[in-house]
C-alpha cells in the first residue's frame, strides 16, 4: 500500500520568505515520516489576477489547471502562509481563486485534508492570516482543515542556518502537526501509516 502523498507550499515567493522557509522545513520533516512529501513553489504556477472577463474570454490559465492536478493527487496539503496587513497574501488567494474555477473531475479542495502553517515577524505568528485562510478553505471551498496548525512568531529570528526552528518546542509542535496531517490524510484516503 502506498504512503500518503503530502503536498507542501508557501503563500509567498519572495527571496528569503519566512513562509517558504516553513514550507521547506515541513517538507524536510515530512521526509522523515511515513509519507511521500512533495514541495512546490507558487513561482512555478504564475497566474494573472483573477478576472471573470479574462476567464470568460480565455478560460483558466494552464498554471491553475496544473495546480489543481497537484491538489487532486495529494492526500494532504500543508500551506505555509505569511501575513500581509492582517490577511492572506494576494498571491495565495489568487492561486486558490483561479484553481477553484477550473472545471474537471474531482474537487481539489474536498479530496485532500488541509493543514495550515503561518509565519510573521510579529508576536502572533501570522494567526490572523491563518484564520482567514481557514475561512477561505473551509467555509468558502468546503475543505477539511485540521484544527492543528503551526505558527512561527518572530519569524525573522526563528530559523537556524540548517533550516530548523531554533526553538525545539516549536519544532516539536510542527512535527506533531505534520503527524496529525499524515494520520488524517491516510484515514480519509483509506491508507495505512
Amino acid at each position: 500500500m502506498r504512503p500518503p502523498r503530502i503536498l507542501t507550499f508557501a503563500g509567498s515567493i519572495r527571496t528569503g520568505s519566512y513562509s517558504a522557509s516553513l514550507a521547506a522545513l515541513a517538507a524536510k520533516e515530512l521526509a522523515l515520516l511515513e509519507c511521500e512529501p512533495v514541495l512546490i513553489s507558487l513561482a512555478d504556477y504564475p497566474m494573472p489576477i483573477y478576472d471573470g472577463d479574462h476567464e470568460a474570454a480565455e478560460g483558466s490559465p494552464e498554471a491553475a489547471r496544473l495546480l489543481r492536478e497537484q491538489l487532486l493527487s495529494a492526500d494532504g496539503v500543508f500551506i505555509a502562509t505569511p501575513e500581509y496587513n492582517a490577511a492572506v497574501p494576494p498571491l495565495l488567494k489568487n492561486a486558490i481563486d483561479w484553481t477553484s474555477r477550473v472545471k474537471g473531475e474531482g474537487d481539489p479542495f474536498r479530496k485532500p485534508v488541509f493543514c495550515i502553517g503561518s509565519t510573521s515577524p510579529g508576536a502572533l505568528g501570522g494567526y490572523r492570516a491563518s484564520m482567514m485562510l481557514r475561512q477561505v478553505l473551509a467555509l468558502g471551498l468546503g475543505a477539511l482543515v485540521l484544527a492543528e496548525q503551526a505558527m512561527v512568531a518572530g519569524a525573522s529570528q526563528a530559523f537556524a542556518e540548517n533550516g530548523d526552528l531554533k526553538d525545539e518546542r516549536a519544532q516539536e509542535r510542527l512535527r506533531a502537526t505534520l503527524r496529525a496531517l499524515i494520520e488524517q490524510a491516510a484515514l480519509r484516503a483509506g491508507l495505512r501509516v
Side-chain angles (χ1 to χ4, degrees):
M1 186 172 286
R2 69 174 179 82
R5 183 176 193 267
I6 308 296
L7 180 67
T8 302
F9 63 92
S12 172
I13 58 173
R14 175 184 64 81
T15 301
S17 160
Y18 308 130
S19 61
S21 294
L22 179 58
L25 176 56
K28 178 177 153 183
E29 289 291 332
L30 286 165
L32 302 173
L33 301 171
E34 295 182 31
C35 70
E36 176 194 342
V38 178
L39 177 64
I40 64 169
S41 170
L42 290 181
D44 297 324
Y45 300 86
M47 299 176 218
I49 297 296
Y50 178 77
D51 175 349
D53 291 338
H54 180 280
E55 181 184 21
E58 299 183 34
S60 299
E62 179 63 17
R65 286 190 280 280
L66 294 172
L67 184 56
R68 181 183 192 276
E69 289 172 15
Q70 286 280 13
L71 291 169
L72 276 173
S73 69
D75 301 302
V77 179
F78 180 84
I79 302 175
T81 183
E83 184 171 283
Y84 290 5
N85 299 318
V88 172
L91 172 72
L92 178 56
K93 181 67 167 64
N94 191 58
I96 290 170
D97 289 344
W98 266 120
T99 303
S100 73
R101 302 291 300 164
V102 178
K103 306 293 184 229
E105 267 189 55
D107 188 326
F109 296 100
R110 291 184 187 249
K111 179 191 176 273
V113 175
F114 285 81
C115 184
I116 297 171
S118 59
T119 61
S120 171
L124 295 179
Y127 178 76
R128 295 166 295 199
S130 72
M131 294 310 294
M132 180 184 251
L133 180 56
R134 180 176 300 279
Q135 178 177 322
V136 169
L137 292 171
L139 182 62
L141 297 166
L144 172 60
V145 184
L146 295 185
E148 296 89 344
Q149 59 187 41
M151 295 182 293
V152 179
S156 61
Q157 301 298 317
F159 294 92
E161 283 192 27
N162 68 355
D164 289 349
L165 293 171
K166 291 178 183 176
D167 182 340
E168 182 54 39
R169 288 178 300 173
Q171 183 98 5
E172 185 47 48
R173 283 193 300 273
L174 173 62
R175 286 182 191 124
T177 299
L178 295 172
R179 283 191 292 266
L181 174 59
I182 292 169
E183 182 179 305
Q184 290 303 311
L187 185 65
R188 190 167 206 192
L191 303 170
R192 285 188 179 171
V193 289

